[in-house]
């Protein structure tokens, strides 16, 4: 019975989680969510257009509606919570006196680890080893999404990035099946390399023209 209504329950849970996150943020963190994009940044406009184009051309594919649903219910609550509230709060505290590459990288790392560990919830239907690989991948992906937020200054951009990532993955494979696949040392080693590459990309995004990190500019003016 639960399996038959899994997507319904998942949607209800994700919608309720958005309200809970916003309420907790209001009373505990009071962290401002920087949503307004910089319309002069033409590159982000092109990226959003490409995301919309991918969705439109995928309209008649087998898993379209499932992918659209998964993309939305994953991106919205997770980006609001992990990038908007948690990383935003850490970033403001850690850069209060000085904005440096190191401080921003620390904020990316902490929020990425928190985001990754959140995925241990998948232990409900997966093995510990397989879930750990997902957690490691999520740490790196979380750092990249955080770096995109820092660079763009708008939470809408990492939301769009997160959405299109989950949308494309689900569009290809449908909903993931329960996995208790055994892993070995080579799997962990390869995932460590992937994580190192992801972290390097995130730090490069932030360090490239550091003065143009729009989120840091908004924080400084707050």
């Amino acid at each position: 019975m639960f399996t038959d209504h899994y997507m319904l329950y998942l949607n209800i849970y994700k919608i309720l989680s958005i309200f809970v996150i916003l309420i907790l943020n209001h009373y505990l963190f009071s962290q401002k969510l920087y949503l307004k994009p910089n319309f002069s940044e033409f590159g982000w406009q092109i990226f959003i257009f490409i995301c919309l184009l991918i969705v439109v051309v995928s309209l008649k594919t087998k898993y379209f509606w499932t992918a659209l649903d998964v993309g939305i219910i994953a991106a919205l609550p997770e980006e609001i919570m992990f990038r908007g509230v948690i990383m935003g709060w850490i970033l403001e505290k850690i850069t209060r006196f000085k904005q440096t590459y190191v401080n921003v990288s620390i904020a990316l790392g902490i929020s990425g680890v928190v985001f990754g560990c959140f995925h241990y919830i998948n232990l409900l239907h997966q093995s510990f080893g397989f879930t750990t690989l997902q957690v490691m991948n999520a740490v790196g992906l979380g750092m990249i999404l955080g770096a995109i937020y820092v660079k763009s200054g708008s939470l809408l951009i990492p939301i769009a990035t997160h959405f299109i990532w989950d949308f494309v993955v689900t569009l290809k494979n449908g909903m993931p099946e329960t996995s208790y696949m055994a892993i070995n040392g080579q799997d962990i080693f390869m995932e460590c390399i992937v994580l190192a590459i992801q972290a390097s990309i995130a730090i490069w995004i932030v360090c490239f023209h550091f003065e143009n990190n729009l989120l840091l500019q908004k924080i400084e003016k707050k």
Side-chain angles (χ1 to χ4, degrees), residues 12-155:
I12 293 173
Y13 164 71
K14 290 291 187 176
I15 292 171
L16 289 176
S17 68
I18 294 176
F19 287 104
V20 171
I21 292 165
L22 293 176
I23 291 171
L24 290 177
N25 180 49
H26 177 75
Y27 287 104
L28 296 180
F29 295 96
S30 299
Q31 176 59 40
K32 182 177 180 180
L33 303 178
Y34 298 93
L35 295 170
K36 185 178 180 181
N38 186 343
F39 293 104
S40 64
E41 294 288 333
F42 191 61
W44 298 122
Q45 297 179 38
I46 294 176
F47 172 71
I48 296 296
F49 174 77
I50 291 174
C51 290
L52 293 174
L53 186 61
I54 292 173
V55 172
V56 171
V57 298
S58 306
L59 188 57
K60 294 185 178 181
T61 56
K62 180 179 179 181
Y63 297 115
F64 174 80
W65 294 108
T66 300
L68 186 65
D69 189 18
V70 169
I72 293 173
I73 64 176
L76 276 177
E78 291 180 11
E79 291 311 303
I80 291 172
M81 179 176 180
F82 293 104
R83 254 59 66 184
V85 177
I86 294 178
M87 196 201 76
W89 185 81
I90 295 173
L91 194 62
E92 288 195 6
K93 298 300 180 184
I94 207 169
T95 61
R96 177 175 295 177
F97 301 106
K98 191 173 183 181
Q99 296 180 348
T100 65
Y101 306 103
V102 175
N103 287 345
V104 176
S105 298
I106 291 173
L108 290 180
I110 295 174
S111 61
V113 169
V114 174
F115 176 63
C117 289
F118 170 77
H119 286 73
Y120 270 119
I121 194 173
N122 292 336
L123 283 172
L124 293 172
H125 58 87
Q126 295 179 167
S127 66
F128 178 79
F130 187 78
T131 303
T132 297
L133 291 181
Q134 287 188 332
V135 167
M136 294 173 67
N137 186 264
V139 170
L141 180 61
M143 291 184 67
I144 292 175
L145 290 168
I148 291 172
Y149 185 29
V150 172
K151 182 63 70 177
S152 67
S154 171
L155 190 59

Side-chain angles (χ1 to χ4, degrees), residues 172-205:
K172 179 181 178 182
N173 304 316
M175 285 295 293
E177 298 180 357
T178 299
S179 177
Y180 290 93
M181 181 183 70
I183 64 169
N184 53 43
Q186 183 178 358
D187 295 325
I188 295 292
F189 176 74
M190 292 302 299
E191 192 58 49
C192 286
I193 293 177
V194 172
L195 175 57
I197 293 172
Q198 291 172 317
S200 299
I201 292 173
I203 294 172
W204 177 82
I205 291 173

